[in-house]
Amino acid sequence: MAACGGPGNPRAAAGPSTVLAYIIRRLFAVVVMLLVITLVTFGIFFLIPKWVGVDPATYFIGKQADPASLEGIRKKMGLDDPILVQFGKFLWGLVAGRDYANGTDVTHCSAPCFGYSFRNEQAIWPVLTDRLPVTMQLAAGACVIWVVVGVGTGVVSALKRGSALDRTLMTVALAGVSLPIYFTGMIALAVVVYGLGWIDGQYVPFGESASGWFGGMLLPWVTLAFLYAAMYARMTRATMLEIMGEDYIRTARAKGLREPVVIGKHAMRSTMTPVLTILGMDLGALVGGAILTETTFSLPGIGQAAVKAISDKDFPLILGVTLIAAVAVVVANLLVDLLYAVVDPRVRLS
Amino acid sequence: MTDLPIQKSGTGADSAPNEPVAGKAKPTAFLEVRDLKVHFPTDDGLVKSVDGLSFQLEKGKTLGIVGESGSGKSVTSLAIMGLHRAGQYGRSKARMSGEIWLEGRELISADPDEVRRLRGKDVAMIFQDPLSAMHPYFTVGAQIVEAYRVHHDVSKAVARKRAIEMLDRVGIPQPDKRVDDYPHQFSGGMRQRAMIAMALSNNPDLLIADEPTTALDVTVQAQILDLIRDLQKEFGSAVIIITHDLGVVAELADDILVMYGGRCVERGPADKVFYEPQHPYTWGLLGSMPRLDRERTERLNPVKGSPPSLINVPSGCAFHPRCPYAELTGGASTTVVPELSEVGSRHHAACHLSAADRERIWTEEIAPKL
Ligand SMILES: Nc1ncnc2c1ncn2[C@@H]1O[C@H](COP(=O)(O)OP(=O)(O)OP(=O)(O)O)[C@@H](O)[C@H]1O
Ligand code: SF4
Ligand SMILES: [Mg+2]
C-alpha cells in the first residue's frame, strides 16, 4: 500500500499491492506445478519398466550388459529404492548435487543435478545448458516473427475485409495452418539453401559469427513462425472484425478521433488481449514445433537432444529434457499471465 | 388538461418542425434534416432504415424522437453524427441521401474529415449502454481526456483538470479519485454520468442522447434525465433525446417526433403530441405507456402486431397491417403513402383519416381508456 503513495480511492490504491499478491500467488502455483510435473514424469519412468517387465538398469548401460554390471548400476542409481526415496534423492540432487556411489565407485554430479547419463558418461545439466540457448534463440526469434507478421496480416486483412488482398492473405494463412513444419521446412531448405544457394544452412553460434548465426537461424525461424503466423493471422482477423463492431469503437469515432487512432489505439488494445492468451498456450506447444524444426535443420537444441535421447533410450536425458521443457512452458505461461494482468485492468483489479 | 408538467426552456424563435423548404437553400434553423434516407444493401435486400425524414431543431431546444425498436431512431442519430460513413466493419455500407444542415453546413455532401472534426465538438452523443460504450481497458479519465484533446490543443494535465471538473459537474463523488477508475469500477448510473461528462466536455451545440436510460435502474433513470435537463439549461445546447417512452419526452422535450418504419408519422409541440395526438400509432404508444398521473382503469395496451419489414415495406401506410382504423379510409391506407399534413398549429401527422374521424376516435375510444 505504501508504494502507491498518499491516500486515495481505496479501490484504485489497491492496484499495485493487488498485482504483487497476484504475482506471489502465481509463483507459488508455479512451484507446486513443477513439483507435480517432476513427480509425474519421474513416476512414469519408474513405473513403465515394471509394466513392460524390463530391468530399469538396462536403460542406463544397455541390454547386453552382464548381470554384474547391471547389479552395479542398480546399486549406484538406487534403483531398488521405493519411488519416493528415489524422488527425494533426485530433488535433493537438483538443489545440492549428488554422488552416485557403489562402494568405491563414485560418480559426482554437481548441482543442479538433473541426472547422469551413464551411456555418455556425462551429467545431464551441461547437455541441457549447452542446447537450451539454441532452442531459446529459435523460439524467441520465431515468436517475434510470428506475432509481428501474424497480427499485422490479421489486422490488414480485417480492415480490407472481402478485398482481393484479404482473400490472398487468408488463402496463404490457410495453407500455413494446414502444412506440416517438416514439409514447409524441407521446401525452404531445398529452395533457399540447396537450390539458390543464398545462405549456408549450417548452425553457427552467435559468438563465432553473427551473420553466420543469422543465416543459419533464418530458415528455422521462418519455418517455425510460418505455422503460427498463419494461425495468428486468422485469429487476429476474426478478433479484429468482432472488436470493430463494438460500441466503444463507435464511441471512439463519435469523439472525432481519426480512423488510424481508432484502429491503432482502441481496437488494437483489445485485440492484444486474446493474442496474449493464445501466446501463453502456444509457447508451451512450441516444444513440439521446436523438435521438428531442430531435426529438419540439424540445430543442436533441446528438441534434437530429445529425439536422440529417445532413440538411444537414454533415460536420464529424456527425464532432463522433459523437465526443462516443463519449466520452460510454465515460466512462459507465467510471464504471459503477468503481462495479461498488466494489459487487462479487469484481471488485475478483480 | 395539462396535468403533467411540460418543461419549456424559453420561447425563442419558432422551432416548429415545419415542412422542409424544397431545394438546397440554406436553412435558418440550427439543425435541419431534409428528406433523409439511409438505406443498407444486405443479402436479403435493401433495408430502408430511414426513408424520407425531415425535421428542424433550434438551439437550446429539445427534440424527443420516439418509436418502437427498429423504427430507425439510432440510424438517424448516427447519420447526423456522420458515423455511417466512418465505415462499420462487418456491416454493409449505408446509402444516404437528403440533407443534414447544421449551422449552415450541409453534412451529407461534406468532406468526411470535416465532419469528423465536428464530431465530438459541435455534435456529441451518448449511447444506450454506457458499459459497452466505454473502452474497458482505459480509465474513465483517460477516455474523457482523449475526447477533450481531440479538439483542444492542451496538455494532458490541463485536460485532466477538465475531466475532473466535468465529472464533478455530472455528480460523480470524489471526482479527483474516481477519474483514475476503470469503467467496470463504476456503477451503471455513474457510467452514464461519465459518458455525459465526456460528451459535454467540448461544450457541443447539439447533444444526441440515444436511449440514455434504457440500460439503467428506474430510480437512476430519473436522475440521469434530470441531469440532462439541468445541463442543457446550463450549456444551452440543443438536445435530441431518443426513447421508446413517450412519457419521458413529454416531460423533457419541446417537440416530439414519432417514427414508424423509418418515417415520421407525427410531429409537433410536445404537449400537442402528448395530449392531442392525431396518429393511430401515437395512440397505440400512449396506450402502452404506464401513467403515474392517473389511476389505471384498464390493462396496458401495447401496439399489437410486429414492426414492419424495412425491406418489403407494407404498401400505402406502413402501419396499415396493425392499424384498427385502416378500413375507415376507403382503401387509401393500403394503396397511398400518407404524407405529413398540418393537423394543428406546428402539428403534423401522416394519416388518411379525416379530421372528423380522428376527433371522434380520440375523444370516444382512446382518451377515455388512458
Ligand atoms: N448497418 C446496417 N446494416 C443493415 N441494417 C441496419 C444497419 N443498421 C441498422 N440497420 C437496421 O435498420 C433498422 C433501424 O435500426 P435502428 O437501430 O435505427 O432502430 P432503433 O429505432 O434505434 O431501435 P431500438 O429502439 O431498438 O434502438 C433496424 O431494422 C436495423 O436492423
Ligand atoms: S393511414 Fe390508415 S393505416 Fe395508416 S394510420 Fe392512418 S388510418 Fe391507420
Ligand atoms: Mg436504437
Side-chain angles (χ1 to χ4, degrees):
Chain A
M1 281 300 225
C4 55
N9 170 3
R11 282 190 280 183
S17 62
T18 328
V19 174
L20 198 65
Y22 178 76
I23 293 177
I24 292 173
R25 256 199 333 268
R26 286 300 324 246
L27 279 176
F28 183 74
V30 160
V31 171
V32 172
M33 188 143 60
L34 285 178
L35 273 178
V36 171
I37 290 173
T38 314
L39 182 60
V40 169
T41 318
F42 208 81
I44 290 173
F45 284 107
F46 180 84
L47 290 174
I48 282 180
K50 289 200 166 166
W51 288 338
V52 297
V54 182
D55 181 354
T58 60
Y59 285 153
F60 289 85
I61 50 172
K63 275 195 174 108
Q64 277 71 43
D66 56 284
S69 10
L70 280 176
E71 188 53 38
I73 199 77
R74 200 171 292 131
K75 264 233 163 100
K76 201 165 171 179
M77 300 298 297
L79 293 179
D80 291 330
D81 293 341
I83 182 170
L84 283 179
V85 173
Q86 289 193 42
F87 185 61
K89 281 185 181 167
F90 181 79
L91 285 184
W92 183 245
L94 279 175
V95 180
R98 66 191 283 198
D99 288 321
Y100 296 99
N102 177 21
T104 53
D105 174 13
V106 178
T107 308
H108 180 69
C109 172
S110 46
C113 180
F114 270 73
Y116 191 90
S117 167
F118 287 90
R119 281 274 167 91
N120 302 317
E121 297 285 330
Q122 57 179 339
I124 301 301
W125 180 241
V127 178
L128 297 178
T129 49
D130 240 25
R131 290 169 168 268
L132 198 56
V134 178
T135 304
M136 283 171 69
Q137 285 160 22
L138 172 67
C143 183
V144 168
I145 295 178
W146 94 56
V147 169
V148 171
V149 172
V151 170
T153 308
V155 169
V156 168
S157 242
L159 298 183
K160 301 275 172 218
R161 179 182 142 110
S163 67
L165 179 64
D166 174 29
R167 281 197 295 273
T168 312
L169 289 175
M170 284 305 114
T171 309
V172 174
L174 184 63
V177 292
S178 321
L179 298 177
I181 285 183
Y182 48 85
F183 182 76
T184 42
M186 284 302 179
I187 292 200
L189 264 185
V191 172
V192 180
V193 179
Y194 303 117
L196 300 170
W198 281 347
I199 44 178
D200 185 1
Q202 292 302 307
Y203 173 76
V204 181
F206 186 78
E208 275 172 38
S209 154
S211 62
W213 168 79
F214 189 79
M217 291 304 283
L218 192 60
L219 275 184
W221 279 338
V222 172
T223 305
L224 183 55
F226 186 51
L227 165 76
Y228 288 98
M231 293 191 325
Y232 277 59
R234 287 158 61 90
M235 186 196 69
T236 305
R237 179 179 182 274
T239 310
M240 192 80 183
L241 283 177
E242 193 185 312
I243 284 166
M244 292 311 285
E246 292 283 352
D247 285 359
Y248 55 79
I249 297 298
R250 189 186 54 194
T251 306
R253 292 206 179 103
K255 289 178 183 179
L257 291 171
R258 286 170 213 278
E259 199 59 13
V261 180
V262 173
I263 294 164
K265 184 176 170 190
H266 290 250
M268 281 312 285
R269 185 69 167 74
S270 307
T271 309
M272 285 328 287
T273 316
V275 167
L276 271 181
T277 316
I278 305 286
L279 188 61
M281 296 192 258
D282 285 345
L283 285 179
L286 189 59
V287 177
I291 290 180
L292 288 172
T293 312
E294 286 173 6
T295 314
T296 308
F297 293 98
S298 315
L299 285 182
I302 294 280
Q304 197 196 42
V307 174
K308 190 164 170 297
I310 290 169
S311 66
D312 288 356
K313 295 207 177 61
D314 191 346
F315 163 78
L317 189 53
I318 298 177
L319 181 61
V321 167
T322 310
L323 285 184
I324 207 76
V327 172
V329 171
V330 167
V331 169
N333 273 315
L334 177 69
L335 288 179
V336 167
D337 274 0
L338 294 182
L339 210 55
Y340 200 78
V342 171
V343 166
D344 191 341
R346 288 173 300 188
V347 171
R348 194 188 330 144
L349 298 172
S350 60
Chain B
M1 178 184 73
T2 49
D3 45 8
L4 267 184
I6 303 278
Q7 283 294 322
K8 290 283 177 191
S9 38
T11 40
D14 186 358
S15 63
N18 284 324
E19 283 298 333
V21 193
K24 283 228 175 191
K26 232 180 181 181
T28 50
F30 166 66
L31 171 71
E32 179 159 344
V33 173
R34 290 179 183 166
D35 196 27
L36 175 68
K37 292 184 180 169
V38 187
H39 296 176
F40 298 97
T42 67
D43 293 343
D44 302 325
L46 192 64
V47 179
K48 297 178 187 136
S49 298
V50 175
D51 204 31
L53 185 70
S54 305
F55 63 86
Q56 294 181 346
L57 179 62
E58 290 300 340
K59 256 203 168 122
K61 297 282 183 178
T62 301
L63 172 70
I65 302 186
V66 280
E68 63 196 345
S69 207
S71 53
K73 307 183 296 292
S74 297
V75 169
T76 304
S77 45
L78 294 177
I80 298 171
M81 292 288 288
L83 281 174
H84 289 303
R85 288 196 305 185
Q88 283 219 319
Y89 297 92
R91 307 210 70 178
S92 44
K93 217 172 154 61
R95 285 192 200 149
M96 292 177 50
S97 68
E99 297 158 43
I100 298 174
W101 292 89
L102 183 77
E103 284 186 304
R105 279 168 299 203
E106 204 289 300
L107 301 184
I108 292 184
S109 57
D111 171 50
D113 205 54
E114 189 190 325
V115 180
R116 176 188 67 74
R117 280 193 295 267
L118 297 180
R119 248 195 322 265
K121 182 160 165 282
D122 295 4
V123 196
M125 186 160 175
I126 54 181
F127 299 97
Q128 177 170 343
D129 181 355
L131 181 59
S132 61
M134 298 190 105
H135 201 298
Y137 299 157
F138 296 116
T139 62
V140 171
Q143 300 188 49
I144 301 177
V145 163
E146 185 184 45
Y148 190 63
R149 291 185 77 215
V150 187
H151 304 290
H152 293 87
D153 190 15
V154 297
S155 70
K156 279 197 175 154
V158 171
R160 188 183 153 89
K161 271 213 184 96
R162 173 76 177 167
I164 294 173
E165 176 192 318
M166 288 308 299
L167 287 176
D168 188 35
R169 181 60 200 86
V170 298
I172 302 282
Q174 285 193 295
D176 50 329
K177 312 287 189 304
R178 302 311 295 265
V179 70
D180 293 320
D181 276 4
Y182 288 90
H184 73 271
Q185 296 172 287
F186 272 33
S187 69
M190 278 167 64
R191 272 181 220 125
Q192 196 58 294
R193 284 171 193 269
M195 281 299 289
I196 295 173
M198 180 160 38
L200 293 183
S201 64
N202 288 307
N203 224 331
D205 299 324
L206 172 62
L207 174 70
I208 305 178
D210 188 353
E211 304 192 30
T213 61
T214 311
L216 306 174
D217 293 342
V218 187
T219 46
V220 183
Q221 286 185 3
Q223 292 168 11
I224 296 291
L225 291 173
D226 282 347
L227 178 66
I228 292 177
R229 180 166 39 206
D230 290 351
L231 290 172
Q232 177 187 21
K233 278 203 192 121
E234 185 181 327
F235 286 72
S237 330
V239 171
I240 296 180
I241 184 155
I242 293 175
T243 170
H244 288 164
D245 187 346
L246 206 47
V248 166
V249 288
E251 266 188 81
L252 215 59
D254 299 293
D255 290 329
I256 294 180
L257 188 154
V258 181
M259 282 187 83
Y260 186 79
R263 296 174 66 98
C264 169
V265 292
E266 178 164 7
R267 65 178 187 211
D271 46 0
K272 293 279 183 216
V273 175
F274 195 64
Y275 293 107
E276 297 164 35
Q278 298 293 321
H279 194 280
Y281 178 64
T282 316
W283 296 341
L285 283 182
L286 273 174
S288 67
M289 201 188 77
R291 291 178 55 154
L292 305 171
D293 56 321
R294 60 185 74 179
E295 204 68 45
R296 201 181 298 142
T297 48
E298 264 172 69
R299 275 171 49 82
L300 276 183
N301 187 14
V303 186
K304 288 193 191 70
S306 47
S309 158
L310 296 174
I311 297 173
N312 300 307
V313 185
S315 62
C317 172
F319 187 53
H320 85 253
R322 300 165 73 183
C323 181
Y325 314 106
E327 300 92 55
L328 302 180
T329 59
S333 289
T334 52
T335 50
V336 184
V337 179
E339 294 298 329
L340 280 173
S341 60
E342 196 147 16
V343 292
S345 156
R346 300 175 56 235
H347 188 180
H348 298 73
C351 174
H352 292 304
L353 284 175
S354 68
D357 278 342
R358 283 198 308 263
E359 175 71 25
R360 180 184 55 77
I361 297 169
W362 169 247
T363 48
E364 289 175 13
E365 294 183 31
I366 311 293
K369 286 191 195 166
L370 291 177

